[in-house]
Amino acid sequence: MKNEKGSLVRPDALPSSASRPVVTPLSPSVVYASDTPDMLDQQYEGGLHGYTYSREGHPNADVVAKRLDRLENAPYPGVMTASGMGAVSAALLGLTQAGDHVIGGNQLYGRSLRMMAEDLPRLGIATSLVDPGDIDAMRAALRPETRMILVEVVSNPTLRVADISGLVALARERGVLLVVDNTFTTPRAFKAFDAGADVVLHSVTKLLAGHSDVMLGYVAARDAVLNDRLRVFTVTTGMTASPFDCWLAERGMLSFDLRFERSQSTAARLAAHLDGLAGVRRVIYPGRTDHPDHQRATDLLGANFCNMVSFELDGTRAAANAFTRAAEGLSFAPTLGDVGTTISHPASSSHRALSADQRAALGMSEGFFRISVGLEEPEALCAVFTQAIAAAITC
Ligand SMILES: *Cc1c(COP(=O)(O)O)cnc(C)c1O
């Protein structure tokens, strides 16, 4: 089969170089060739490190996972998944079995709520939804078969703060796994393993990757056996992340610290600015002393109140329409953590399935907006809100 031009259908070897690339190479190879069956044996047995088939693992996933492991102080190598929901699925489905009971925070991410309401029960896993700020209610919801509690540190879009220390104590006392979705807070504001979480997960799609061009998730467990189960579940169900997405996420994460600092300081500035505007009924930001969970936020997050601000316009759907139309340069789009500021309107998107009364009970009127603050120049951003809110209240 030797051909003087090299192999006919396989690529040639990379040219040798005395210097190294400063950027991680992208490795799209689905398979990795080993020299002999003996070597392959050793790779599978763990005696030799080597990749085999990329659903089982590849260098770009390992590079990003290692970075996240370091940020989260994860005791074992975490697993990259094809989206944040892949990470939620790995925790909810990979660590439970029929007959178990799972408790979720009552304001979880919409798709997580859907999995709690529909998929787990279909598989014989009972679920309850409870306010993660109310430890008595959590305690009352526990059953002998409760396996897991899944919470987010800061809720969406009302930005309430979970009683994490109370939950850690309760979970330990009752031998229940505490799973923390750390997407909103990021390891920059909150180290969930240090705080006592058993499993930590992320939608890396959001602040960590940061540019709205990658779907990616991460999940890791404190316990070696559970951590291995998360990996096996992800590989078996095909939730493996693509090399290109991992590569893009790694690039995005190089600026994560700077982006986080900038967007949270602008968020504090914007929250103060909104508070002074006519037509704004209330402003919700955990860094404000009028926030109902301000003290708890300070205890958990220090001075890191993150980049999410919610506010309520004094007006109906017509005012909401006028506001997004006039908010020039800002995307009205249901995501968060992008380099650009994005605005979401829960009544028409994430919370549209609720009745107006149910939304009202959560304090979510037609004028309620959630802002994910990006990297715009802070005063220019405030000016856009000033004129868009003015347009909304005169419509
Ligand atoms: C977006 C999000 C998810 C789901 O992540 P995807 O990457 O969109 O699948 C889960 N939890 C939270 C808190 C999120 O914001």
Side-chain angles (χ1 to χ4, degrees):
M1 272 269 289
K2 270 258 179 334
N3 177 305
E4 55 194 8
K5 291 192 179 113
S7 165
L8 291 173
V9 295
R10 299 301 325 171
D12 293 318
L14 287 173
S16 72
S17 168
S19 48
R20 301 175 305 276
V22 296
V23 169
T24 304
L26 174 61
S27 183
S29 192
V30 164
V31 280
Y32 290 81
S34 306
D35 285 346
T36 62
D38 273 354
M39 271 182 88
L40 192 56
D41 249 353
Q42 288 182 55
Q43 283 176 234
Y44 278 119
E45 295 304 319
L48 275 178
H49 179 70
Y51 299 100
T52 54
Y53 188 65
S54 69
R55 185 171 14 80
E56 318 252 334
H58 53 76
N60 292 106
D62 286 354
V63 165
V64 183
K66 197 173 261 183
R67 187 170 280 264
L68 286 161
D69 293 343
R70 210 161 56 224
L71 281 172
E72 282 290 8
N73 292 330
Y76 299 100
V79 185
M80 301 312 298
T81 55
S83 68
M85 279 314 297
V88 172
S89 302
L92 286 178
L93 300 170
L95 303 181
T96 56
Q97 58 189 31
D100 284 348
H101 172 240
V102 173
I103 301 177
N106 59 352
Q107 290 190 45
L108 290 174
Y109 181 70
R111 283 278 156 189
S112 303
L113 281 178
R114 191 184 166 100
M115 186 169 286
M116 298 282 299
E118 297 187 10
D119 300 280
L120 295 185
R122 182 169 47 75
L123 298 170
I125 300 158
T127 60
S128 313
L129 298 176
V130 179
D131 177 354
D134 184 345
I135 291 300
D136 292 336
M138 277 282 173
R139 185 181 294 280
L142 282 170
R143 304 176 189 172
E145 63 274 20
T146 304
R147 166 74 169 153
M148 175 183 291
I149 300 173
L150 166 66
V151 295
E152 293 165 20
V153 184
V154 174
S155 74
N156 174 31
T158 55
L159 310 184
R160 296 301 302 262
V161 182
D163 181 356
I164 297 286
S165 25
L167 289 167
V168 167
L170 184 62
R172 293 220 167 134
E173 173 196 322
R174 300 289 287 264
V176 171
L177 296 174
L178 180 64
V179 181
V180 172
D181 178 336
N182 203 16
T183 301
F184 266 48
T185 22
T186 83
R188 190 70 177 59
F190 186 65
K191 305 276 192 203
F193 280 123
D194 294 357
D198 298 295
V199 176
V200 177
L201 65 89
H202 282 280
S203 170
V204 179
T205 310
K206 311 291 171 52
L207 289 130
L208 289 163
H211 296 70
S212 291
D213 53 9
V214 178
M215 300 235 53
L216 202 64
Y218 165 88
V219 60
R222 175 188 299 284
D223 176 84
V225 172
L226 297 184
N227 197 64
D228 196 51
R229 228 177 264 173
L230 291 169
R231 184 175 304 279
V232 170
F233 184 82
T234 301
V235 171
T236 305
T237 53
M239 293 198 284
T240 310
S242 98
F244 185 55
D245 286 342
C246 292
W247 185 87
L248 275 176
E250 186 201 4
R251 190 176 69 157
M253 283 176 65
L254 301 179
S255 61
F256 165 62
D257 256 10
L258 282 176
R259 287 187 287 104
F260 188 83
E261 278 297 329
R262 166 71 176 235
S263 58
Q264 83 169 351
S265 82
T266 305
R269 170 76 191 97
L270 181 65
H273 178 73
L274 290 173
D275 188 41
L277 295 180
V280 172
R281 195 179 286 158
R282 65 190 171 118
V283 178
I284 305 173
Y285 186 62
R288 289 169 58 90
T289 51
D290 64 359
H291 187 283
D293 303 323
H294 176 67
Q295 188 54 49
R296 186 181 288 158
T298 306
D299 294 344
L300 285 180
L301 311 174
N304 292 297
F305 300 111
C306 305
N307 76 315
M308 305 296 291
V309 179
S310 293
F311 77 103
E312 199 176 3
L313 266 179
D314 205 358
T316 59
R317 175 63 67 90
N321 287 337
F323 168 71
T324 59
R325 232 182 259 123
E328 217 166 303
L330 309 184
S331 303
F332 171 51
T335 190
L336 65 111
D338 186 53
V339 287
T341 295
T342 52
I343 302 169
S344 80
H345 182 248
S348 63
S349 57
S350 55
H351 291 67
R352 62 175 299 120
L354 302 186
S355 68
D357 283 348
Q358 285 172 317
R359 281 196 296 268
L362 292 171
M364 230 174 280
S365 64
E366 281 293 337
F368 192 101
F369 283 95
R370 184 197 77 181
I371 310 158
S372 166
V373 176
L375 306 182
E376 293 86 354
E377 197 284 311
E379 297 315 311
L381 185 67
C382 289
V384 171
F385 277 89
T386 304
Q387 59 89 21
I389 288 168
I393 59 176
T394 54
C395 75

